[in-house]
Amino acid sequence: EHELKKFPRNKDGTPATEGTSATTGGELSDNMFSNQETTTVDYFQGGAAGGGKPSPILEPEHASFFILRASTQRDLAMSTVRGEWFVQRRHAERMNTAYHNGRKVMFFFMVSDSDHIQGAALMTSMASYQELGGGAADAGREDLDLFCYRFKCEWYRTTELPITTAVVAAPDLLLPTKETQFCQDMAPRTGEAVMKAVWNSPLVTLYESFAGDIDPPADDAILTDFRCPPMDEVTWPTMPGPGFIFGCNSQTMDECLGRGVLGLPAHMKRAASGIKPGSSIFLFNVTDRLLFGIFEALTPAMMNIEPTAFSKNPKATTSPFPVQIRVRVSLECPPLEDTDPVLNDILRTRVGGRIGPLTHAQAEAVASLLASQCGALQYMMEYQNGVESGDVNVVPPPIALPPRKINVPSGNDVNDAGGSAR
């Protein structure tokens, strides 16, 4: 109950909950939270907005803007460290023209189907052709427009801005698709609006380590101490986009798992708006201080999926925790203790306690930490290696598999890479 009281807090720093005590037992009640309708922006986003490097573009009318779609967030994290990106020829020509004419060229990045903008970078060199090892067979082929034009870039901001927010700020925003080769230009006015929205969004890291062998970057060094995963690191498959930690206690945990429903108080509806089917979900038992997972959201956050859930009144028409989602178990793992040092490193930027939204980097790292500590990640790696080596007798591990099919990339998949950094 003490944990739940941490969310939200009033502007003066006092707990928003009134009429409850941390020592009144473990029963969940609807007066654990304040009655305010929305959470603070800082808590909802996971950190303070603003800060970081100032925008390098002061005259947007004399700049060029593009939005690029990457295949994975791993590619973006690698780009922040390497300071480079790859595009196709037709886009490289337009970018080079703008850069050659003295215009500043800014890129916004999104990942696959994450529905979020993950950051912004500035072009610092012309895009030039790079051999990707295709050999003489592909040389000179006009029908191949591969991602083989590399340009240098400097990252100015890493964030997790919902596309819905970006579209409100810039109604004319068009998103990159496969038909546009995962790249879309935009008018200066639209680019300026998106840039302002990105700079008004909190800074986040694009990668969080779950191995416990490296220290995380300091809060004031996110944009100067970039991190990316080691080349041989394998993470547990998670859907692109944010995750979420729900709360329960020892009395309500069985109901959560039995119903397959997790709930939040009404004023946390906005905080849960980023949840969609496939999102990575975790459950924190505030009595035992244990984090359980991995769950997969089956629905977005909705009101009163089960009106009688978490209520002692069988005739209740609304739940004391009416913001609800349905979930299923993606992987059953032993829980993590709240004192786990790696878990605390991953969640170091959270404010107000455990319960609330996670960035994609945090959700992926927590899921990978759970999967690695129970051996599931190692099983998955062995299974993948067997498939890649052509072992026809490879047997799937005797555990719950990821919710989505494991696809083994081949050389023919390069055109679907979405402009990944190499």
Side-chain angles (χ1 to χ4, degrees), residues 47-56 76 80 106-109 117-122 154-161 194-206 222-223 226:
K53 299 179 182 178
S55 171
L76 294 186
T80 62
M106 174 166 282
F107 303 95
F108 306 108
F109 293 88
I117 293 177
Q118 302 293 161
L122 194 70
E154 179 181 357
W155 280 79
Y156 274 80
R157 197 162 191 85
T158 53
T159 186
E160 201 159 71
L161 172 68
V194 174
M195 180 176 66
K196 289 180 178 178
V198 168
W199 255 261
N200 280 324
S201 296
L203 291 170
V204 303
T205 56
L206 298 185
I222 292 178
L223 295 177
F226 288 118

Side-chain angles (χ1 to χ4, degrees), residues 172-191:
D172 296 331
L173 175 63
L174 297 177
L175 301 179
T177 64
K178 188 173 182 178
E179 288 68 31
T180 64
Q181 272 70 49
F182 309 105
C183 177
Q184 180 69 55
D185 58 354
M186 58 184 73
R189 184 176 179 179
T190 302

Side-chain angles (χ1 to χ4, degrees), residues 383-394 408:
Y383 175 64
Q384 284 183 319
N385 292 336
V387 172
E388 292 173 357
S389 64
D391 185 356
V392 296
N393 297 318
V394 62
V408 180

Side-chain angles (χ1 to χ4, degrees), residues 97-220:
T97 298
Y99 186 81
H100 179 74
N101 291 335
R103 300 174 70 91
K104 290 187 175 180
V105 182
M106 174 166 282
F107 303 95
F108 306 108
F109 293 88
M110 59 182 298
V111 177
S112 185
D113 297 321
S114 70
D115 294 330
H116 286 74
I117 293 177
Q118 302 293 161
L122 194 70
M123 188 176 189
T124 59
S125 77
M126 298 278 281
S128 58
Y129 179 79
Q130 304 291 315
E131 286 284 355
L132 299 181
D138 292 339
R141 285 186 56 182
E142 296 296 333
D143 60 318
L144 286 181
D145 191 7
L146 306 181
F147 294 87
C148 53
Y149 284 80
R150 182 183 66 183
F151 62 86
K152 292 291 185 180
C153 61
E154 179 181 357
W155 280 79
Y156 274 80
R157 197 162 191 85
T158 53
T159 186
E160 201 159 71
L161 172 68
I163 290 295
T164 52
T165 303
V167 170
V168 170
D172 296 331
L173 175 63
L174 297 177
L175 301 179
T177 64
K178 188 173 182 178
E179 288 68 31
T180 64
Q181 272 70 49
F182 309 105
C183 177
Q184 180 69 55
D185 58 354
M186 58 184 73
R189 184 176 179 179
T190 302
E192 179 183 12
V194 174
M195 180 176 66
K196 289 180 178 178
V198 168
W199 255 261
N200 280 324
S201 296
L203 291 170
V204 303
T205 56
L206 298 185
Y207 169 72
E208 293 287 352
S209 173
F210 63 92
D213 53 358
I214 58 173
D215 293 329
D219 290 345
D220 59 352

Side-chain angles (χ1 to χ4, degrees), residues 26 31 37 48 67 77 93 109 113 184 188 225 234 255 270-271 296-298 305 311 316 343 349 358 380 408:
N31 64 349
E37 292 299 321
I67 184 167
E93 291 173 350
F109 293 88
D113 297 321
Q184 180 69 55
D225 187 12
V234 177
E255 183 175 4
R270 183 187 174 202
E296 177 187 7
L298 298 179
I305 295 176
S311 174
L343 177 65
T349 59
L358 301 174
M380 187 189 73
V408 180

Side-chain angles (χ1 to χ4, degrees), residues 37-55:
E37 292 299 321
T38 59
T39 64
T40 64
V41 173
D42 281 359
Y43 189 91
F44 171 61
Q45 297 287 1
K53 299 179 182 178
S55 171

Side-chain angles (χ1 to χ4, degrees), residues 81-102:
V81 173
R82 296 179 179 180
E84 62 181 21
W85 194 255
F86 286 77
V87 294
Q88 293 170 292
R89 182 178 63 184
R90 70 170 184 169
H91 300 306
E93 291 173 350
R94 298 209 312 271
M95 296 169 186
N96 283 344
T97 298
Y99 186 81
H100 179 74
N101 291 335

